[in-house]
Amino acid sequence: MNKSVAKIGAFLYCAAIVVVSVVCTIRDANRNLIRDVVIEAGSSIRIEEFFKDCPDDAEFVTDVSGIDTSAPAVYRLKVRYDEAFVKDVTLRVEDHTAPRGVAIPHNQYASVAWPDASECVGYLYDLNGIAEIKYRDGTPEFRFTGDYNVPIVVTDWYGNSTIIDVPFHVTDDHNAPLFFGKGKIQKISRKIHRRRWRKAPATSARQSRAD
């Protein structure tokens, strides 16, 4: 009787150890997994992103070769790891990169209409395209000669913006022209000559026959 009880006790003890070991293994496996991953648009998809300490046998069950990461989107994937676990994970492709471009310096007369903001920047690049180009502080109103940096905002379709400072040399051209030198200034005028056309006299049928 005592031997039977001892055997049952030993069995239960071993079973408890196995259960605890399995529970700990599952818990550790879950803790190691990152279920929600965000990558920047245009990046590659790497299995290592889904683990704090990536197991050697970790792999995608879902075929990720056809996923286009150039456009923001959300994907549901499955991963396999530690020989026994297959888990659902989420991949989020997001665009947080601002557009790039260069300033195009301008010479500007104060009395002339300012160019469109899109004419003041060049070599623009953004993975998902440019949505808007505008003067940050509205159309400039500089009235005096000088050199100014005008900030222009370039925004992509996902709301990422970059500010490009464009150099402007502004010239105040409100002063009348000045003439230097000896001699009198000859006044030049232009006369418009209009030629008067005379209406030809009517020719009668009788005169025609006489001719």
Side-chain angles (χ1 to χ4, degrees), residues 201-211:
T203 304
S204 64
R206 181 179 299 175
Q207 290 177 328
S208 299
R209 285 196 298 271
D211 295 340

Side-chain angles (χ1 to χ4, degrees), residues 19-209:
V19 170
V20 171
S21 178
V22 170
V23 170
C24 290
T25 301
I26 295 175
R27 183 191 62 187
D28 293 342
N30 288 335
R31 287 180 177 177
N32 189 33
L33 180 66
I34 302 175
R35 295 182 178 274
D36 200 312
V37 170
V38 177
I39 65 172
E40 184 65 22
S43 302
S44 59
I45 304 174
R46 301 169 58 248
I47 190 66
E48 291 82 2
E49 301 287 347
F50 294 88
F51 297 92
K52 297 176 182 178
D53 183 14
C54 186
D56 294 335
D57 64 342
E59 62 181 357
F60 289 109
V61 177
T62 306
D63 182 9
V64 298
S65 61
I67 295 179
D68 180 11
T69 63
S70 64
V74 178
Y75 300 94
R76 307 296 180 186
L77 309 177
K78 287 184 180 294
V79 295
R80 181 187 294 114
Y81 63 103
D82 286 344
E83 299 181 356
F85 299 102
V86 176
K87 299 289 184 177
D88 294 322
V89 293
T90 300
L91 173 66
R92 303 178 189 276
V93 181
E94 299 181 358
D95 183 358
H96 299 290
T97 303
R100 298 196 302 268
V102 298
I104 301 178
H106 272 64
N107 291 319
Q108 177 69 24
Y109 286 102
S111 60
V112 177
W114 282 69
D116 187 84
S118 62
E119 301 176 19
C120 304
V121 290
Y123 296 99
L124 297 177
Y125 173 78
D126 187 88
L127 193 62
N128 291 291
I130 305 300
E132 184 182 39
I133 303 173
K134 65 179 182 179
Y135 290 106
R136 188 191 66 182
D137 304 318
T139 304
E141 297 181 353
F142 299 116
R143 299 180 180 178
F144 302 102
T145 298
D147 294 313
Y148 305 90
N149 282 327
V150 178
I152 290 179
V153 181
V154 181
T155 306
D156 67 14
W157 288 104
Y158 291 94
N160 304 301
S161 298
T162 188
I163 297 177
I164 301 175
D165 289 325
V166 179
F168 275 84
H169 178 73
V170 178
T171 302
D172 177 10
D173 61 340
H174 291 87
N175 297 324
L178 300 177
F179 297 90
F180 299 92
K182 297 180 179 180
K184 297 181 179 180
I185 298 177
Q186 181 180 1
K187 181 179 180 181
I188 301 175
S189 64
R190 177 182 296 176
K191 295 182 179 180
I192 301 176
H193 299 280
R194 297 181 179 178
R195 182 176 181 181
R196 296 183 178 180
W197 294 90
R198 295 180 60 188
K199 187 176 181 180
T203 304
S204 64
R206 181 179 299 175
Q207 290 177 328
S208 299
R209 285 196 298 271

